């Protein structure tokens, strides 16, 4: 190596080593752009439904038409980005299968999410749904897993009234509902504790054959839930990818004629997702290259050590 | 945020400060571009200012009395309550729409002297719905109908600008940006937003706990008539109200004892409800963790090492064949679970064969954590996408 | 007696009752009663949390500690939200009892509580969590170093998941025919295999480990061996 070449290589190495000290605001800006620009450009990529989404779709399809379904909204606005697309598509799926739905929430803000979904999906796309006979909102109840446990034996004691203050016996859909074993399908949109894990632990494991359990899970929680699939949980959607795939399956079988974008939220978010993932990989690689460069500089005489 | 902690010994202090100066100017330029873009969007684009519309409809209810013996339907006379004389008296007066068909059949009659209650209900419209409504309203002037007008009722509903919701969207956008401002540096606006979040969410949780759990599950048992009169008129009647009331004093007392934590003295008093809470949790978790996580997970691990799959042979007959990939999957699964469990087993020294197994266990754990990391990143990015969608679509109307 | 013996009895009795209720239908209703009380106490805990928050912030304001103005904002916003919710300000009347104001729906628009939820609480909570996307990027850049086999495995898996769970999987390896012998090399299939067999195995072992730990801790509590909670008073 000539001296010049040596200097150039050393200069590049020095530059790379200095990258380690990059002001993190530039990284923030890069992340903001990686997510923001694809949203503005409406970047879309083709998605192919994976085995998990197909299994989840089939699990719900296998439940007889017109069954009673319990839907738990166990999330809050912090996870709306991931779970709302799943909730939208699943409510449309259930309504297309003419299921009767009972809504509850184990998260204090979950009832708001449920109300929003009922208004935007159930009543907007299936206006024939009548309160009391086709769907009931039981609302939020404090107590986490204790509420689930109680629902396996005595729903009227846990919920003396629905969210609007009506006694359960006055509402035909839930008048005879004593326990969750009487429903055919339980769906939980789960963002953490309490959520899908607790539904498996306190309901499904004790009554494995009484109902089908399906979960929509955030990315953060998904790994924790994989061991329960498929024996303790017949289906699960993991993160926004799961939502996007499931949206495709549902709208392919049960197409909508208006406001299609309501069931494209998941797919819409996969565009920024890809770009941001590539940025993440790029950042990790860059960080490692900078480390190697810094190390080799260090070994050459201790100059420019990178902390 | 230490923007420029100089750690490169080649860098002189002056070089660093000139760097900082340069990046400050870049940031100022970026913010300026953003502000100009925002202003242009608001004032130069026709649809650039977020405005919310609501559809107003009015609702009316009149009080009616159920005529006993007139074959009242299940709605007027709840089946579960008829066995008791008292609830029938409660259910006998109901609020119905003025056009309720049961007036005509004589099942119910108006209660004299009780004024009807009339109120307005608002439906927040999406931008698309508002545009369609506007098109309908201006249709009479000869202007053409725009988007999706045919999907709506022909008569234009009563639509008006909602100042509360319009202001709300702007507040929401401001608060979103206020939180994001922390990314640049800590600042008073961020701190205000943060303080607001803490106060509002604490009150939300408390109020929600009060109306959804304390009132129906506790107060309704202690003072059912009071709760029925002021909060839950539709509350059912218990079969054994006395017993319910006596039992309800236990959680009431425990609740007060729990709140004693706020008092400066007598901290031990709150240990009783704490013991109750811990006892309940322990009792629930003991069974659930063994049943769902220990036995069921161990069972899920024990799969046949050689997996078969049904396929068809060349002549179309169903045959069972060894599925190589499924078998490898099963073996990997069992090796993974066992090796990680060996790693978790700290009672024996990780040496020799145990040490090797534990090392394999660590590799499995690393792959598990890598997968968890990937999925977590995925989740976080989605949340950011949702917030940016709010800013771009709902606030700036860029869609 | 009051400080030690009774709490231990309460804990053991409630816990044991629930375990027994699981196995015996005769004590089922006792278990339900315990759970009902537990739910009520869970709601009381929200009151306790709010009380704590008020105490801390009132102290800050009254002693004019640094940042007391922010504490005042917290108090004011708490007070506003509390009044809006408890008195159901602007609530939509309940159609089956429009004359009872407190029977109305307070959570949705256009009630004051609903407005605060929709335009203050919801955007603030969602944005707080969205911020993590930025921090995770910065942390990955700074801390993720392929220094040894373990770190390489972790990074490699993360890359596979990040690529495999987006359209990158199709774009990069979509050319491999689905029915060919090399189909296992398609990124989407690799992702499925890694999640289904490897990372699920790891997670399963973690789940079993945690279950053993939880069961042991619960048992220690119920049998009165673990009494650390007594010092919480």
């Amino acid at each position: 190596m000539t001296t010049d070449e040596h200097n150039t290589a050393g200069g590049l190495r020095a530059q790379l080593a200095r990258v380690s000290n990059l002001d993190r605001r530039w990284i923030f800006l890069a992340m903001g752009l990686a997510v923001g620009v694809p949203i503005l450009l409406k970047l879309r990529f083709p998605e192919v439904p994976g085995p998990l989404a197909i299994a989840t779709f089939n699990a719900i399809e296998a439940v007889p038409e017109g069954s009673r379904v319990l839907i738990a909204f166990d999330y809050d606005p912090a996870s709306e980005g991931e779970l709302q697309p799943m909730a939208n598509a699943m409510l449309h799926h259930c309504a297309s299968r003419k299921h009767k739905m009972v809504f509850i929430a184990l998260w204090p803000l979950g009832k708001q999410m449920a109300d929003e979904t009922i208004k935007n999906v159930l009543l907007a796309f299936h206006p024939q749904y009548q309160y009391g006979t086709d769907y009931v909102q039981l609302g939020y109840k404090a107590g986490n897993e204790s509420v689930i446990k109680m629902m396996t034996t005595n729903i009227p004691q846990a919920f003396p009234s629905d969210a609007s203050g009506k006694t359960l016996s006055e509402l035909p859909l839930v008048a005879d509902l004593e326990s969750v074993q009487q429903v055919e399908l339980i769906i939980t949109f789960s963002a953490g504790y309490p959520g899908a894990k607790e539904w498996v632990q306190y309901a499904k494991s004790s009554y494995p054959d009484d109902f089908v359990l399906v979960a929509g899970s955030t990315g953060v929680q998904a790994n924790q839930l994989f061991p329960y699939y498929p024996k303790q949980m017949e289906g699960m959607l993991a993160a926004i990818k799961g939502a996007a795939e499931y949206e495709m399956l549902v709208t392919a079988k049960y197409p909508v004629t208006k406001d299609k974008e309501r069931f494209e939220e998941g797919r819409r978010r996969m565009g920024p997702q890809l770009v941001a993932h590539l940025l993440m990989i790029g950042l990790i690689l860059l960080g490692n290259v900078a480390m190697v460069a810094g190390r080799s500089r260090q070994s050459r005489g201790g100059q420019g050590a990178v902390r | 945020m230490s923007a420029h902690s100089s750690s490169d010994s080649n860098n002189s202090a002056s070089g660093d400060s000139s760097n900082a100066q340069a990046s400050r100017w870049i940031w100022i330029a970026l913010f300026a571009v953003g502000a100009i873009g925002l202003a242009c969007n608001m004032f130069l684009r026709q649809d650039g200012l977020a405005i919310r519309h609501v559809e107003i409809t009015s609702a009316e209810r009149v009080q009616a009395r159920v005529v006993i013996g007139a074959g009242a339907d299940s709605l007027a006379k709840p089946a579960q309550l008829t066995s008791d004389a008292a609830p029938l008296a409660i259910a006998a007066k109901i609020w119905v729409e003025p056009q309720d068909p049961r007036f005509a059949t004589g099942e119910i009659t108006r209660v004299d002297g009780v004024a009807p209650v009339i109120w307005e209900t608002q439906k927040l419209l999406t931008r698309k719905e508002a545009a369609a409504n506007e098109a309908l309203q201006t249709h009479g002037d000869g202007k053409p109908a725009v988007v999706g007008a045919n999907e709506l009722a022909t008569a234009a509903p009563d639509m008006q600008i909602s100042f509360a919701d319009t202001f709300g969207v702007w507040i929401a956008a401001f608060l979103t940006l206020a939180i994001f401002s922390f990314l640049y540096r800590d600042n008073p606006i961020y701190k205000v937003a943060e303080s607001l979040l803490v106060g509002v969410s604490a009150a939300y949780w408390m109020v929600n706990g009060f109306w959804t759990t304390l009132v129906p599950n506790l107060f309704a048992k202690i003072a059912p008539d009071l709760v029925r009169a002021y909060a839950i008129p539709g509350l059912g009647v218990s079969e054994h109200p006395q017993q319910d009331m006596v039992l309800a004093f236990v959680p009431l007392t425990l609740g007060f004892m729990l709140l004693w934590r706020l008092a400066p003295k007598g901290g031990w008093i709150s240990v009783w409800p704490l013991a109750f809470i811990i006892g309940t949790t322990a009792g629930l978790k003991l069974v659930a963790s063994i049943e769902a996580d220990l036995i069921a997970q161990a069972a899920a691990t024990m799969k046949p090492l050689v997996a078969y799959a049904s396929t068809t042979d060349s002549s179309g007959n169903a045959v069972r064949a060894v599925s190589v990939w499924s078998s490898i999957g099963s073996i990997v699964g069992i090796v993974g679970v066992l090796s990680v469990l060996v790693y978790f087993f700290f009672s024996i020294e990780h040496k020799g064969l145990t040490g090797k197994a534990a090392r394999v266990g660590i590799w499995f754990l690393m792959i598990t954590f890598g997968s968890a990391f990937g999925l977590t990143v995925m989740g976080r990015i989605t949340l950011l996408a949702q917030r940016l969608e709010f800013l771009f679509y709902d606030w700036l109307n860029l869609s | 007696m009051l400080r030690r013996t009774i709490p231990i009895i309460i804990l053991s009795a409630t816990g044991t009752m629930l375990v027994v209720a699981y196995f015996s239908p005769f004590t089922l209703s006792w278990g339900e009663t315990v759970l009902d009380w537990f739910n009520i106490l869970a709601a009381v805990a929200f009151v306790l949390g709010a009380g704590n928050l008020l105490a801390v912030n009132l102290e800050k304001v009254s002693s004019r500690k640094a940042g007391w103005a922010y504490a005042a904002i917290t108090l004011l916003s708490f007070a506003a939200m509390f009044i809006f919710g408890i008195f159901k300000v602007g609530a939509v009347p309940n159609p089956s009892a429009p004359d009872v104001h407190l029977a109305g729906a307070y959570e949705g628009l256009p009630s004051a509580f609903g407005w605060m939820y929709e335009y203050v609480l919801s955007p603030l909570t969602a944005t707080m969590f969205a911020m993590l996307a930025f921090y995770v990027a910065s942390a990955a850049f700074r801390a993720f170093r392929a220094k040894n086999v373990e770190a390489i495995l972790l990074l490699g898996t993360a890359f596979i998941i990040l690529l495999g769970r987006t359209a990158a999987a199709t774009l990069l390896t979509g050319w491999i025919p689905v029915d060919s012998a090399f189909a296992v090399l398609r990124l989407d299939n690799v992702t499925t295999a890694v999640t289904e067999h490897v990372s699920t195995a790891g997670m399963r072992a973690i789940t079993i480990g945690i279950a053993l730990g939880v069961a042991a801790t619960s048992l220690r509590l119920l049998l009165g061996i673990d009494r650390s909670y007594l010092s919480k008073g």
Side-chain angles (χ1 to χ4, degrees), chain C residues 103-150:
Chain C
Y106 66 105
E107 295 141 306
L109 288 170
S111 79
F113 194 81
W115 189 93
M116 290 287 278
Y117 163 78
E118 185 76 33
Y119 299 119
V120 178
L121 183 55
S122 174
L124 281 175
T125 327
T127 314
M128 274 291 183
F129 279 81
M131 295 277 277
L132 296 170
F134 296 106
Y135 295 124
V136 88
S138 166
F141 174 68
R142 265 155 223 283
F144 263 33
R145 300 284 186 260
K147 282 179 182 157
N148 49 31
V149 183
E150 283 81 10

Coordinates of all heavy atoms in Angstrom, one line a residue, chain C residues 103-150:
Chain C
A103 N -77.4 9.1 34.3 CA -77.5 7.8 33.5 C -77.0 8.0 32.1 O -76.9 7.0 31.4 CB -78.9 7.3 33.5
G104 N -76.7 9.2 31.8 CA -76.3 9.5 30.4 C -74.9 8.9 30.0 O -74.1 8.5 30.9
A105 N -74.6 9.0 28.7 CA -73.3 8.5 28.3 C -72.3 9.6 28.3 O -72.4 10.6 27.6 CB -73.4 8.0 26.8
Y106 N -71.2 9.4 29.1 CA -70.3 10.5 29.3 C -69.0 10.3 28.6 O -68.2 11.2 28.5 CB -70.0 10.6 30.8 CG -69.2 9.4 31.4 CD1 -67.9 9.5 31.7 CD2 -69.9 8.2 31.6 CE1 -67.2 8.4 32.1 CE2 -69.2 7.1 32.1 CZ -67.9 7.2 32.3 OH -67.2 6.1 32.8
E107 N -68.8 9.1 28.0 CA -67.5 8.8 27.5 C -67.3 9.3 26.0 O -66.2 9.7 25.6 CB -67.2 7.3 27.5 CG -67.1 6.7 28.8 CD -67.7 5.4 28.9 OE1 -68.9 5.3 28.5 OE2 -67.1 4.4 29.3
G108 N -68.4 9.4 25.3 CA -68.2 9.7 23.9 C -68.5 11.2 23.6 O -68.9 12.0 24.5
L109 N -68.2 11.6 22.4 CA -68.5 13.0 22.0 C -70.0 13.1 22.0 O -70.7 12.2 21.7 CB -67.9 13.3 20.6 CG -66.4 13.4 20.5 CD1 -66.0 13.4 19.0 CD2 -65.9 14.6 21.2
P110 N -70.6 14.3 22.2 CA -70.0 15.6 22.5 C -69.8 15.9 23.9 O -69.7 17.1 24.2 CB -70.9 16.5 21.8 CG -72.3 15.9 22.0 CD -72.0 14.4 22.1
S111 N -69.8 14.9 24.8 CA -69.7 15.3 26.2 C -68.3 15.8 26.5 O -67.3 15.6 25.7 CB -69.9 14.1 27.1 OG -68.8 13.3 27.1
A112 N -68.1 16.6 27.6 CA -66.8 17.2 27.9 C -65.7 16.2 28.1 O -64.6 16.3 27.6 CB -67.0 18.1 29.1
F113 N -66.1 15.1 28.8 CA -65.2 14.0 29.1 C -64.8 13.4 27.8 O -63.6 13.1 27.6 CB -65.9 13.0 30.0 CG -65.0 12.0 30.7 CD1 -64.3 12.3 31.8 CD2 -64.9 10.7 30.1 CE1 -63.5 11.4 32.4 CE2 -64.2 9.8 30.8 CZ -63.4 10.1 31.9
G114 N -65.7 13.1 26.9 CA -65.4 12.5 25.6 C -64.5 13.4 24.8 O -63.6 12.9 24.1
W115 N -64.8 14.7 24.9 CA -63.9 15.6 24.1 C -62.5 15.6 24.6 O -61.5 15.5 23.8 CB -64.4 17.1 24.3 CG -63.8 18.1 23.4 CD1 -64.2 18.4 22.1 CD2 -62.6 18.8 23.6 NE1 -63.4 19.4 21.6 CE2 -62.4 19.6 22.5 CE3 -61.7 18.9 24.7 CZ2 -61.3 20.5 22.4 CZ3 -60.6 19.7 24.6 CH2 -60.4 20.5 23.5
M116 N -62.3 15.5 25.9 CA -61.0 15.5 26.5 C -60.3 14.1 26.1 O -59.1 14.1 25.9 CB -61.0 15.6 28.0 CG -61.4 16.9 28.6 SD -60.1 18.1 28.4 CE -59.1 17.7 29.8
Y117 N -61.1 13.1 26.1 CA -60.5 11.8 25.7 C -60.0 11.9 24.2 O -58.9 11.5 23.9 CB -61.5 10.7 25.8 CG -61.1 9.4 25.0 CD1 -60.2 8.6 25.5 CD2 -61.7 9.2 23.8 CE1 -59.8 7.5 24.8 CE2 -61.3 8.1 23.0 CZ -60.3 7.3 23.5 OH -59.9 6.2 22.8
E118 N -61.0 12.3 23.4 CA -60.7 12.3 21.9 C -59.6 13.2 21.5 O -58.8 12.8 20.7 CB -62.0 12.7 21.2 CG -62.0 12.6 19.7 CD -62.1 11.2 19.2 OE1 -62.8 10.4 19.9 OE2 -61.5 10.9 18.2
Y119 N -59.5 14.4 22.1 CA -58.6 15.4 21.5 C -57.4 15.7 22.5 O -56.5 16.4 22.1 CB -59.3 16.7 21.2 CG -60.4 16.5 20.2 CD1 -61.7 16.7 20.4 CD2 -60.1 16.0 18.9 CE1 -62.7 16.5 19.5 CE2 -61.0 15.7 18.0 CZ -62.3 16.0 18.2 OH -63.3 15.8 17.3
V120 N -57.4 15.1 23.7 CA -56.3 15.3 24.6 C -55.6 14.0 25.0 O -54.5 13.7 24.6 CB -56.7 16.1 25.8 CG1 -55.5 16.3 26.7 CG2 -57.2 17.5 25.4
L121 N -56.4 13.2 25.6 CA -55.8 11.9 26.2 C -55.3 11.0 25.0 O -54.2 10.5 25.1 CB -56.8 11.2 27.0 CG -56.4 9.9 27.7 CD1 -55.1 10.2 28.5 CD2 -57.5 9.4 28.7
S122 N -56.2 10.8 24.0 CA -55.9 9.8 23.0 C -54.7 10.2 22.2 O -53.7 9.4 22.0 CB -57.1 9.6 22.1 OG -56.8 8.8 21.0
P123 N -54.6 11.5 21.7 CA -53.4 11.8 20.9 C -52.1 11.8 21.8 O -51.1 11.4 21.3 CB -53.7 13.2 20.4 CG -54.8 13.7 21.1 CD -55.6 12.5 21.6
L124 N -52.2 12.2 23.0 CA -51.1 12.3 23.9 C -50.5 10.8 24.2 O -49.3 10.6 24.0 CB -51.4 12.9 25.2 CG -51.4 14.5 25.2 CD1 -51.8 15.0 26.6 CD2 -50.0 15.0 24.8
T125 N -51.4 9.9 24.5 CA -51.0 8.5 24.8 C -50.4 7.9 23.5 O -49.3 7.3 23.6 CB -52.2 7.7 25.2 OG1 -53.1 8.4 25.9 CG2 -51.8 6.5 26.0
A126 N -51.1 8.1 22.4 CA -50.6 7.5 21.2 C -49.2 8.0 20.8 O -48.3 7.3 20.4 CB -51.6 7.7 20.1
T127 N -49.1 9.3 20.9 CA -47.8 9.9 20.5 C -46.7 9.5 21.4 O -45.5 9.3 21.0 CB -47.9 11.5 20.4 OG1 -49.1 11.8 19.8 CG2 -46.8 12.1 19.7
M128 N -46.9 9.4 22.7 CA -45.9 9.0 23.7 C -45.3 7.7 23.2 O -44.1 7.5 23.3 CB -46.5 8.8 25.1 CG -46.6 10.1 25.9 SD -44.9 10.6 26.3 CE -45.2 12.0 27.3
F129 N -46.2 6.7 22.8 CA -45.7 5.4 22.4 C -45.1 5.5 21.0 O -44.2 4.7 20.7 CB -46.8 4.4 22.5 CG -47.0 3.9 23.9 CD1 -47.8 4.6 24.8 CD2 -46.5 2.7 24.3 CE1 -47.9 4.1 26.1 CE2 -46.6 2.2 25.6 CZ -47.4 3.0 26.5
A130 N -45.5 6.4 20.2 CA -45.0 6.5 18.8 C -43.5 7.0 18.9 O -42.7 6.7 18.1 CB -45.8 7.5 18.0
M131 N -43.2 7.7 20.0 CA -41.8 8.2 20.2 C -40.8 7.1 20.3 O -39.7 7.2 19.9 CB -41.7 9.0 21.5 CG -42.5 10.3 21.5 SD -41.7 11.6 20.7 CE -40.6 12.1 22.1
L132 N -41.3 5.9 20.7 CA -40.4 4.8 20.9 C -39.8 4.4 19.6 O -38.7 3.8 19.5 CB -41.1 3.6 21.6 CG -41.6 3.9 23.0 CD1 -42.5 2.9 23.5 CD2 -40.4 4.1 23.9
A133 N -40.5 4.6 18.5 CA -39.9 4.3 17.1 C -38.6 5.0 16.9 O -37.6 4.4 16.4 CB -40.9 4.6 16.0
F134 N -38.5 6.2 17.4 CA -37.3 7.0 17.2 C -36.2 6.5 18.1 O -35.0 6.3 17.7 CB -37.5 8.5 17.5 CG -38.5 9.1 16.6 CD1 -39.8 9.4 17.0 CD2 -38.1 9.5 15.3 CE1 -40.7 10.1 16.1 CE2 -39.0 10.1 14.5 CZ -40.3 10.4 14.9
Y135 N -36.6 6.2 19.4 CA -35.6 5.7 20.3 C -35.0 4.4 20.0 O -33.9 4.1 20.2 CB -36.1 5.8 21.7 CG -36.4 7.2 22.2 CD1 -37.7 7.6 22.6 CD2 -35.4 8.2 22.1 CE1 -38.0 8.9 23.0 CE2 -35.7 9.5 22.4 CZ -37.0 9.8 22.9 OH -37.3 11.1 23.2
V136 N -35.9 3.5 19.5 CA -35.5 2.2 19.1 C -34.5 2.2 18.0 O -33.5 1.5 17.9 CB -36.7 1.2 18.8 CG1 -37.1 1.3 17.4 CG2 -36.4 -0.2 19.2
A137 N -34.7 3.2 17.1 CA -33.7 3.4 15.9 C -32.4 3.8 16.5 O -31.3 3.3 16.1 CB -34.3 4.4 14.9
S138 N -32.4 4.8 17.3 CA -31.2 5.4 17.9 C -30.4 4.3 18.7 O -29.2 4.2 18.6 CB -31.5 6.6 18.7 OG -30.4 6.9 19.5
A139 N -31.2 3.6 19.5 CA -30.6 2.5 20.3 C -30.0 1.4 19.5 O -28.9 0.9 19.7 CB -31.6 1.9 21.3
A140 N -30.7 1.0 18.4 CA -30.2 0.0 17.5 C -28.8 0.4 16.9 O -27.9 -0.3 16.8 CB -31.2 -0.3 16.5
F141 N -28.8 1.7 16.5 CA -27.6 2.2 15.8 C -26.4 2.2 16.8 O -25.3 1.9 16.5 CB -27.9 3.7 15.4 CG -26.7 4.4 14.8 CD1 -26.1 4.0 13.6 CD2 -26.1 5.4 15.5 CE1 -25.0 4.6 13.2 CE2 -25.0 6.1 15.0 CZ -24.4 5.7 13.8
R142 N -26.7 2.5 18.1 CA -25.6 2.7 19.0 C -25.2 1.4 19.7 O -24.0 1.2 20.0 CB -26.0 3.6 20.1 CG -25.6 5.0 19.8 CD -26.4 6.1 20.5 NE -26.7 7.1 19.6 CZ -25.8 8.1 19.3 NH1 -24.6 8.0 19.9 NH2 -26.1 9.0 18.4
A143 N -26.2 0.5 20.0 CA -25.9 -0.6 20.9 C -25.8 -2.0 20.2 O -25.3 -2.9 20.8 CB -27.0 -0.6 22.0
F144 N -26.4 -2.1 19.0 CA -26.4 -3.4 18.4 C -25.1 -3.7 17.7 O -24.9 -3.3 16.5 CB -27.5 -3.5 17.4 CG -28.8 -4.1 18.0 CD1 -29.0 -4.0 19.3 CD2 -29.6 -4.9 17.2 CE1 -30.2 -4.5 19.9 CE2 -30.7 -5.5 17.8 CZ -31.0 -5.3 19.1
R145 N -24.2 -4.4 18.4 CA -22.9 -4.7 17.8 C -22.7 -6.2 17.7 O -22.9 -6.9 18.7 CB -21.8 -4.1 18.7 CG -21.9 -2.6 18.9 CD -21.3 -1.9 17.7 NE -21.3 -0.5 17.9 CZ -22.2 0.4 17.4 NH1 -23.3 -0.1 16.8 NH2 -22.1 1.7 17.6
A146 N -22.3 -6.6 16.5 CA -22.1 -8.1 16.3 C -20.7 -8.5 16.9 O -19.7 -8.6 16.1 CB -22.2 -8.4 14.8
K147 N -20.7 -8.6 18.2 CA -19.4 -8.8 18.8 C -19.0 -10.3 19.0 O -17.9 -10.7 19.1 CB -19.3 -8.2 20.2 CG -19.1 -6.7 20.1 CD -19.1 -6.1 21.5 CE -18.9 -4.5 21.4 NZ -19.5 -3.9 22.6
N148 N -20.1 -11.1 19.1 CA -19.8 -12.6 19.3 C -20.9 -13.4 18.6 O -21.9 -12.8 18.0 CB -19.7 -12.9 20.8 CG -20.9 -12.3 21.6 OD1 -22.0 -12.2 21.0 ND2 -20.6 -11.9 22.8
V149 N -20.9 -14.7 18.8 CA -21.9 -15.6 18.1 C -23.3 -15.2 18.6 O -24.2 -15.1 17.7 CB -21.6 -17.0 18.5 CG1 -22.5 -18.0 17.7 CG2 -20.2 -17.4 18.1
E150 N -23.4 -15.0 19.9 CA -24.8 -14.7 20.4 C -25.3 -13.4 19.8 O -26.5 -13.4 19.3 CB -24.7 -14.5 21.9 CG -24.6 -15.8 22.7 CD -23.2 -16.4 22.8 OE1 -22.2 -15.6 22.4 OE2 -23.0 -17.5 23.2

